[in-house]
Every structure is written in C-alpha cells, then in structure tokens.
Amino acid sequence: MTTLTDRTHPDAPTTGHLQVHNVHKSFGTLEVLRGVDLEVRPGEVTVILGPSGSGKSTLLRVINHLERADSGFVVVDDDLVGYRHKGNTLRELPEREILKQRTNIGFVFQNFNLFPHLTALENIIEAPVAAQKRDKNEAIREARQLLKKVGLEDKADVYPRQLSGGQQQRVAIARALATNPKVLLFDEPTSALDPELVGEVLRVIKELAHSGTTLVIVTHEIGFAKEIADTVVFMDQGVIVEQGTPTQVIDQPEQQRTRAFLESVL
C-alpha cells in the first residue's frame, strides 16, 4: 500500500485534494448529515464505514453534487463543487457547468447505473464526448484501453444485460475513469454482487488504489478496507464518530459505537 511517506516523492499526486466543510443535509425532518468535515489529500484512499442510514451514501452524493447540501460546502483542488462565490453568498452553477464539473469527480454506483441501450464501449465514451467535448475516435481508443485495464477488452460491443454483475461493475469503473477524474467515489461497489463476483471488482479497485487517484470508498468489506485504506472513517447518525489509520479505527477503535459496529460485522 502507498504510504504517506511515498507521497512526499516528487512524482506524488498534486491534484485530487478533497475538502468537505461542515456539511448538513436533511430530507424533510430527517437530518442525514450533521456537520460533516472531511479532508482527503491527493492520492489518498479513504474508506468510510458505518451502519445503514448513517449518511455514508448521502455524503458521497453531496461531494458529487448529486444532492445539494443544506449548508456547508465541498472543495476539490480549490474549486467549489456546484457553486461559485457571488459577493458573500454562494450561487449554484448552471446545470451544464455542474455536469462538466462532475467529470472531475467520478462516481461508481452500487447498482452499476449503466445505460442499458448502449454497449460497454458506448457507455464509457458517453461522458468524454458529450460532457468534455473530446474527439470521439480518441475517446474510443482510450475506452478500449480502459476495458483492457479492467479485464474486459473482449466485451466492448456487448450490452449490459449480457454481462454478469461483476462485469457490469467493472465497466462502470472504466466509465468513471474515462473522464480522468481527480477524485473517484465508490458507493458500496460490491453490495449488489453475488459473493463469487466480489473479488473481481475488489481486484480492480486495489489496482486503482496504487495508481495515485484519490479514492473515497463506502464499503462493508472490512478486510478490504484494512488492506488498501490510508484513512478509515466511521460514520453513525450523520456524523463522523472516529477516523484514523486502519490499525487505529479497525484494530484499536477508541469509541464504543465503532467497537459495537465492528463486532456486529466481523
């Protein structure tokens, strides 16, 4: 695993610095996020653990501006996500600018979210061509390289319904990488998979963890978290209860709520 010492090397990543500042989010009377602060430095892997309903997935969706925070804000490399300053207030960006900005923050969903009417290759080139206005032939070349990277070079012309769940999720990872994102978010990427398919997806994510891309991963795979994370965050009831190295949070948690959760899943 890459260490913090490795990141002082001249070739260490310089982009992908994620900062979440005092984010609150409610749905009606249900307060889902209650003042979340989080920093992920360039190239780091942060894994978020917590029980269902703790706010993990909502936090990812706020980071990508798929959900609007009620208060607080998110910054990637000094750029506000979803907003711009106008005087002393924040004004939401037009949708077209939000879509373009989102290409810097890749998102791999729990249920793949591939376009069913598009082939694997077409799914991957959609955002680079439509949102980033890149040359289609160039996008196709890069998409084929990404399919090879996730072990699916022979599936370019196959539709999602013809792929296993693990294959669909690997296409979804390739699609997220196609825009060269600064930050890549994973929302429980293996929870919708049959157990025998989990390993093939985790292998791809492990390779990404060594590539220098900033990763934020929500997962229940505790062993996986210990193996790849620089920082583990435990959330419950909309707040960060505890965070630190995998050894600190998983092996030697300080908080009783963290210990109780880990005892229930290990």
Side-chain angles (χ1 to χ4, degrees):
M1 183 177 69
T2 309
T3 66
L4 296 181
T5 304
D6 293 330
R7 291 191 182 87
T8 64
H9 189 275
D11 294 331
T14 57
T15 63
H17 185 199
L18 169 66
Q19 299 172 80
V20 178
H21 295 274
N22 195 28
V23 163
H24 290 254
K25 179 65 182 180
S26 296
F27 296 101
T29 59
L30 179 63
E31 195 174 12
V32 180
L33 298 176
R34 300 188 291 135
V36 173
D37 290 292
L38 178 66
E39 180 176 13
V40 184
R41 288 178 290 182
E44 286 194 0
V45 179
T46 293
V47 172
I48 304 177
L49 306 176
S52 297
S54 59
K56 310 181 302 295
S57 295
T58 299
L59 176 59
L60 291 193
R61 294 176 68 85
V62 167
I63 290 171
N64 201 39
H65 206 68
L66 291 168
E67 297 284 357
R68 296 172 178 83
D70 297 331
S71 61
F73 56 93
V74 176
V75 176
V76 174
D77 291 343
D78 299 323
D79 291 327
L80 277 168
V81 177
Y83 298 92
R84 68 162 61 97
H85 281 289
K86 191 162 187 178
N88 292 323
T89 61
L90 296 180
R91 296 290 177 88
E92 191 169 26
L93 295 170
E95 184 64 21
R96 67 181 181 278
E97 292 186 39
I98 291 172
L99 290 172
K100 185 175 181 181
Q101 192 178 58
R102 237 179 238 144
T103 63
N104 288 321
I105 309 170
F107 202 118
V108 178
F109 296 87
Q110 180 175 342
N111 292 307
F112 325 136
N113 280 26
L114 298 175
F115 297 113
H117 63 289
L118 299 179
T119 64
L121 183 72
E122 290 167 341
N123 265 281
I124 294 168
I125 69 171
E126 175 72 15
V129 173
Q132 295 181 320
K133 308 301 181 186
R134 288 165 56 189
D135 177 74
K136 186 174 181 179
N137 289 328
E138 176 192 340
I140 288 172
R141 284 194 299 273
E142 292 189 9
R144 292 190 184 280
Q145 292 172 356
L146 287 169
L147 282 170
K148 185 176 182 179
K149 184 173 185 176
V150 299
L152 294 173
E153 60 265 44
D154 60 336
K155 303 295 184 183
D157 300 320
V158 172
Y159 289 90
R161 66 180 180 274
Q162 299 168 299
L163 298 171
S164 70
Q167 290 171 333
Q168 289 186 60
Q169 192 61 294
R170 284 187 280 156
V171 172
I173 292 170
R175 179 180 63 178
L177 290 170
T179 59
N180 298 310
K182 297 177 177 180
V183 178
L184 191 51
L185 311 176
F186 291 85
D187 187 10
E188 300 195 21
T190 61
S191 63
L193 300 178
D194 293 332
E196 66 268 21
L197 301 177
V198 169
E200 65 187 63
V201 173
L202 293 184
R203 279 193 296 274
V204 172
I205 300 174
K206 285 176 187 176
E207 290 176 11
L208 290 176
H210 294 288
S211 72
T213 303
T214 304
L215 306 183
V216 182
I217 306 168
V218 169
T219 184
H220 289 296
E221 302 281 348
I222 306 299
F224 175 66
K226 287 177 67 172
E227 186 176 348
I228 72 161
D230 297 296
T231 300
V232 174
V233 173
F234 175 68
M235 288 186 68
D236 193 22
Q237 298 182 10
V239 299
I240 292 177
V241 175
E242 190 165 358
Q243 70 182 80
T245 66
T247 298
Q248 290 169 331
V249 177
I250 297 174
D251 295 332
Q252 303 166 0
E254 293 183 356
Q255 302 299 319
Q256 175 57 33
R257 286 158 77 186
T258 312
R259 290 196 293 270
F261 169 77
L262 290 169
E263 287 170 6
S264 72
V265 299
L266 289 175

